[in-house]
Amino acid sequence: MRPEGRRGESDTVGAAGEAGARRVVFTPVDTRARVDAVVRRLGDAIELGLLADGEQLPGETELAGQLGVSTVTLREALMALRQQGLVTTRRGRGGGSFVTLPEGPAEERLHARLADWSTEELRDLGDHWAAVSGAAALLAAQRTQPGDLRQLARTVEDLTRAEDPAARSRLYGRFHVELAAAAQSARLTREEIALQTELGALLCLVLDDSAYVESVADRHRSVISAVQDESDERARMLAESCVRESMGRLIALRLAARTDAPEPRPEEDTHGQEHRARGPRGDHLRHGGRR
């Protein structure tokens, strides 16, 4: 028997989820390799449309304070974003840093962003996300009322109608945020919002396939059905499976990109013997930790 749910909350959680995701953009970043963390955070928010084309970012001192980094670190990150064509800085009166979407294909930028993650990092992130979403689904099956699932169902149908990968990614993430809200757990909801802010842009790469989007929608409907039936363990298993499938596809893309990289050209040594040029050290050493 479920306890009485908080009715009406699910009707506003979609908007609250997007607002929450936007707020998380400007919260302190990971303490490791902060320049890279700032570049990822702001770059992903731009690709997802959480920060709009032409939008002015907060001033350097304010933004550095919000992200919990020094102004020197922030300036390095903004320089990297300018090199990627995602930020333009104007000097003088009315100046500042502004979001700018380059004209090049978004897919190329996202593949470059994916290359910045190691497979170990992606697996670790996938484990964490699966645990959070699984726990949210289990608790939702125990706590939510059937009427509170209407917003989840609407989000699934919106996902099937969305044609833009960025819109699909936002709706995919919104479903998991709403699921955590249905679990009536503020901590799980905040954690889902943070995960979507960190991961959402990369999900565009696996959500450009309409057939896979339909598969995701079917999985989400199965989660809703299990929650409605109070099948808590089944709901947990289905939510975890959905997350692991998506992360598995991302990891496969990451591995394929590494395999498709051009091989080093042969070189001749001082004795005229041809040998392979030494490439960079293994991926696990290059990407084992953030720079």
Side-chain angles (χ1 to χ4, degrees):
M1 177 69 69
R2 294 186 176 105
E4 185 65 25
R6 293 180 290 182
R7 298 185 183 279
E9 181 177 293
S10 60
D11 293 332
T12 59
V13 73
E18 287 201 1
R22 183 182 168 84
R23 284 196 299 273
V24 171
V25 172
F26 301 115
T27 57
V29 298
D30 194 302
T31 56
R32 297 169 296 169
R34 290 191 168 191
V35 172
D36 285 353
V38 171
V39 171
R40 280 183 181 176
R41 173 77 64 77
L42 296 180
D44 288 354
I46 292 169
E47 295 288 2
L48 279 171
L50 294 172
L51 299 177
D53 189 23
E55 178 176 345
Q56 183 173 7
L57 296 175
E60 286 186 356
T61 302
E62 180 184 355
L63 184 54
Q66 290 174 337
L67 296 173
V69 298
S70 68
T71 53
V72 173
T73 295
L74 178 65
R75 285 170 187 159
E76 288 185 38
L78 290 175
M79 182 183 299
L81 289 167
R82 283 195 294 272
Q83 290 171 347
Q84 294 177 23
L86 296 176
V87 165
T88 300
T89 301
R90 304 173 198 159
R91 303 297 178 188
R93 187 174 181 180
S97 293
F98 297 82
V99 173
T100 352
L101 283 178
E103 294 183 1
E107 185 176 355
E108 290 182 10
R109 299 195 301 271
L110 290 172
H111 275 290
R113 202 172 298 281
L114 178 62
D116 192 43
W117 290 81
S118 70
T119 53
E120 290 83 359
E121 286 179 308
L122 290 171
R123 287 192 184 100
D124 186 53
L125 187 60
D127 290 342
H128 179 56
W129 184 19
V132 171
S133 287
L138 183 145
L139 292 174
Q142 295 174 351
R143 296 174 177 175
T144 194
Q145 297 296 309
D148 295 335
L149 302 176
R150 288 191 298 268
Q151 182 57 45
L152 277 167
R154 283 196 292 267
T155 296
V156 173
E157 297 315 309
D158 288 344
L159 174 63
T160 62
R161 290 191 292 267
E163 297 183 357
D164 176 65
R168 291 171 175 175
S169 179
R170 287 195 296 272
L171 289 162
Y172 187 117
R174 182 192 294 179
F175 176 87
H176 286 274
V177 171
E178 291 170 348
L179 186 62
Q184 301 177 21
S185 170
R187 285 182 180 273
L188 287 177
T189 303
R190 287 196 299 270
E191 193 64 27
E192 278 288 358
I193 290 171
L195 280 164
Q196 298 312 318
T197 303
E198 184 174 13
L199 186 63
L202 295 181
L203 290 175
C204 294
L205 293 172
V206 300
L207 293 172
D208 63 347
D209 180 349
S210 296
Y212 179 59
V213 171
E214 285 293 337
S215 173
V216 168
D218 286 340
R219 287 173 181 269
H220 285 181
R221 291 186 189 104
S222 296
V223 172
I224 294 173
S225 177
V227 169
Q228 190 166 10
D229 293 342
E230 302 183 40
S231 301
D232 52 6
E233 283 297 335
R234 181 167 173 267
R236 177 190 60 76
M237 180 190 68
L238 289 168
E240 288 183 358
S241 175
C242 184
V243 167
R244 293 192 188 281
E245 168 69 17
S246 295
M247 291 304 298
R249 285 175 171 257
L250 264 185
I251 291 169
L253 284 175
R254 178 67 181 84
L255 290 170
R258 186 169 60 191
T259 303
D260 293 341
E263 292 187 24
R265 292 178 57 189
E267 293 179 352
E268 271 192 359
D269 62 21
T270 55
H271 300 287
Q273 298 296 318
E274 190 177 75
H275 62 86
R276 288 286 177 188
R278 290 187 182 181
R281 291 192 296 172
D283 185 76
H284 68 287
L285 292 178
R286 284 192 295 120
H287 294 283
R290 293 179 175 86
R291 295 181 295 278

